[in-house]
Amino acid sequence: MPTMGALHPGHLSLLRNAKSRCDIVVCSIFVNPTQFNDASDLEKYPRPIEQDTALLESISCDVLFLPDVEEMYGENEHWHIDLGSLETMWEGAFRPGHFQGVTQVVYKLFQIVQPHYAFFGQKDFQQCMVVRRLVDIMQVPVRLVICPIERSREGLALSSRNVRLSDHGLRDALDLSKALRLVRHGAKEQGLSKSKLAANALLDENPNIQVEYFAICKPDTLLEVKECEGEQLVALIAAYIEGVRLIDNMLIDCQ
Ligand code: AMP
């Protein structure tokens, strides 16, 4: 199970899932520099390693893989994989090079650990698609397990970045999942475009939220749709609050 540490109950739910399926569970903690397109985000990324180690012990994780940057990367390494439109849509558009860095490190981790199963969170919806593509292209013999998003009681998607928010910021951040829920609940009754308008209005009313994108998409292509088509869609959002970039998503049943 690849992580960047600052473990929270979202990570632990993946670990529990892994423990229920696997004899030996390996958790990696590596803040991967090649997937950060913003140097200050990399620098500010929380690294509470003692707390993480204690959490992993409390849940009886078998192995912690905690490499240095020098151990993972040689000098002047080159990596490029054809991610198609995933490279330039949504997260790809706002974080150029991010998914090349993600696939580069995930491929290295797969080669080092050689897991039978790998656990990823739906929280990073597009990342799951990208890793699936990596596995297909490189023919990695691993089964991917995508685990549901763990949220706070009020609905905020748990994230390592949440610790950088003030109490006020944490309250503002609730509007992200509120907007997603408005779309999810409204889609069947009012139709998608009306409920999206209501969700946009909610986000616009909060001056502390700077939305990067908020879109309702087909879950297999991530192409944006205006009305319900097919059975299931996904609403994706990315926004800055107090200079912290947060992402969230929710599946929307149209029928
Ligand atoms: P990260 O440490 O942010 O790279 O996350 C490591 C793994 O945990 C990724 O597969 C994430 O999608 C997953 N993850 C992060 N937050 C959550 C959450 N709130 N619920 C479930 N999985 C999560």
Side-chain angles (χ1 to χ4, degrees):
M1 188 194 129
T3 81
M4 298 204 296
L7 302 178
H8 52 66
H11 295 113
L12 298 188
S13 74
L14 265 65
L15 274 165
R16 282 196 198 90
N17 200 333
K19 279 195 70 73
S20 72
R21 289 177 198 237
C22 306
D23 297 329
I24 296 179
V25 174
V26 180
C27 176
S28 60
I29 296 182
F30 181 61
V31 183
N32 174 37
T34 69
Q35 72 187 68
F36 282 81
N37 52 324
D38 174 349
S40 95
D41 190 26
L42 172 62
E43 192 199 320
K44 287 184 190 153
Y45 204 86
R47 293 166 170 87
I49 191 59
E50 282 175 15
Q51 186 186 307
D52 285 351
T53 313
L55 272 172
L56 290 173
E57 278 174 356
S58 76
I59 200 169
S60 306
C61 174
D62 300 288
V63 179
L64 164 61
F65 181 51
L66 185 67
D68 300 331
V69 174
E70 294 71 33
E71 254 176 294
M72 289 296 277
Y73 292 110
E75 271 174 40
N76 302 322
E77 270 193 43
H78 180 72
W79 169 266
H80 187 268
I81 188 170
D82 179 7
L83 296 172
S85 54
L86 289 174
E87 174 97 50
T88 49
M89 298 170 95
W90 312 122
E91 283 301 281
F94 285 94
R95 302 187 71 187
H98 170 64
F99 287 131
Q100 290 299 335
V102 168
T103 48
Q104 182 180 28
V105 76
V106 169
Y107 188 58
K108 278 178 190 277
L109 291 168
F110 281 162
Q111 284 184 309
I112 295 165
V113 178
Q114 301 190 16
H116 295 122
Y117 291 87
F119 297 80
F120 290 87
Q122 186 205 309
K123 161 86 172 19
D124 296 273
F125 193 91
Q126 194 172 354
Q127 172 172 279
C128 293
M129 298 174 75
V130 162
V131 172
R132 205 173 283 291
R133 193 167 167 117
L134 167 75
V135 166
D136 284 349
I137 293 175
M138 304 306 269
Q139 304 255 303
V140 185
V142 65
R143 281 198 210 175
L144 300 182
V145 182
I146 310 302
C147 306
I149 304 175
E150 289 288 315
R151 297 179 178 281
S152 70
R153 211 157 18 105
E154 296 89 354
L156 176 63
L158 301 183
S159 162
S160 305
R161 289 188 168 87
N162 292 350
V163 297
R164 291 176 49 203
L165 295 172
S166 69
D167 288 347
H168 200 283
L170 285 168
R171 276 198 299 282
D172 288 326
L174 292 177
D175 281 348
L176 305 186
S177 55
K178 270 190 207 156
L180 294 172
R181 279 201 305 272
L182 272 180
V183 173
R184 193 179 64 188
H185 292 147
K188 278 190 220 165
E189 286 134 41
Q190 302 158 263
L192 206 54
S193 45
K194 264 197 182 165
S195 53
K196 174 87 183 324
L197 278 177
N200 275 334
L202 174 97
L203 294 166
D204 287 347
E205 271 167 28
N206 189 333
N208 302 322
I209 300 180
Q210 290 86 48
V211 175
E212 275 195 334
Y213 61 82
F214 175 36
I216 302 168
C217 304
K218 294 190 183 192
D220 49 349
T221 58
L222 297 192
L223 289 172
E224 191 167 12
V225 298
K226 297 288 171 213
E227 282 305 339
C228 274
E229 291 174 30
E231 288 172 18
Q232 206 171 50
L233 298 170
V234 61
L236 303 167
I237 190 163
Y240 277 94
I241 294 174
E242 297 180 333
V244 181
R245 189 172 186 279
L246 302 175
I247 58 170
D248 196 357
N249 68 81
M250 229 171 248
L251 294 173
I252 297 169
D253 286 320
C254 288
Q255 289 170 349

